[in-house]
Amino acid sequence: MHYTLLVTGPAYGTQQASSALLFARALLKAGHQLNSIFFYREGVLNGNQLTAPAGDEFDIVRAWQALQQQGVTLNICVAAALRRGVTDEQEATGLGLAAANLQPGFTLAGLGALAEAMLTSDRVVQF
């Protein structure tokens, strides 16, 4: 079965992102296809490269990156990301920002990417 996940919770402070990560890992382990994970609203903070948890805490930003290395597309809503200070090099240059902070493996994308993922998936699960 083909899945798309929609993550609207931040990397830390709620259970949404960690529940989504555990669900994603379980899907892949069970042999399902995870087409895309789309981060929206506060969920875009899961792609902030400057997130630095304490040494004894789980690093969820880098855990998402490991999923990307397994072929899962990690899309970040570009509008929500820019509002929350998450940007890639191209947007930072275009907007005249001092730096970029999008974690490698994540891609800024519009809602069209979410719509396309939803059309090609059997299930969409929101966290």
Side-chain angles (χ1 to χ4, degrees):
M1 194 167 276
H2 294 260
Y3 283 85
T4 291
L5 302 185
L6 176 62
V7 180
T8 60
Y12 296 98
T14 70
Q15 282 295 121
Q16 292 166 292
S18 57
S19 295
L21 178 64
L22 293 174
F23 187 77
R25 287 176 172 173
L27 285 177
L28 295 173
K29 188 174 181 179
H32 294 288
Q33 182 75 31
L34 181 54
N35 297 337
S36 172
I37 301 175
F38 194 87
F39 298 90
Y40 187 59
R41 296 183 179 168
E42 301 300 323
V44 301
L45 297 172
N46 286 276
N48 186 348
Q49 187 177 33
L50 300 178
T51 302
D56 61 342
E57 293 179 3
F58 182 69
D59 190 343
I60 196 166
V61 174
R62 278 75 189 176
W64 287 121
Q65 195 176 25
L67 281 183
Q68 186 271 334
Q69 293 168 354
Q70 295 178 31
V72 178
T73 302
L74 303 175
N75 285 318
I76 299 272
C77 175
V78 63
L82 291 175
R83 282 188 205 107
R84 290 164 177 85
V86 178
T87 185
D88 64 4
E89 285 289 337
Q90 182 179 356
E91 291 292 335
T93 301
L95 295 170
L97 301 174
N101 61 342
L102 185 65
Q103 177 72 13
F106 290 81
T107 304
L108 292 182
L111 291 177
L114 175 61
E116 183 179 329
M118 293 171 77
L119 288 173
T120 58
S121 296
D122 299 307
R123 300 279 187 271
V124 177
V125 182
Q126 180 178 349
F127 292 90

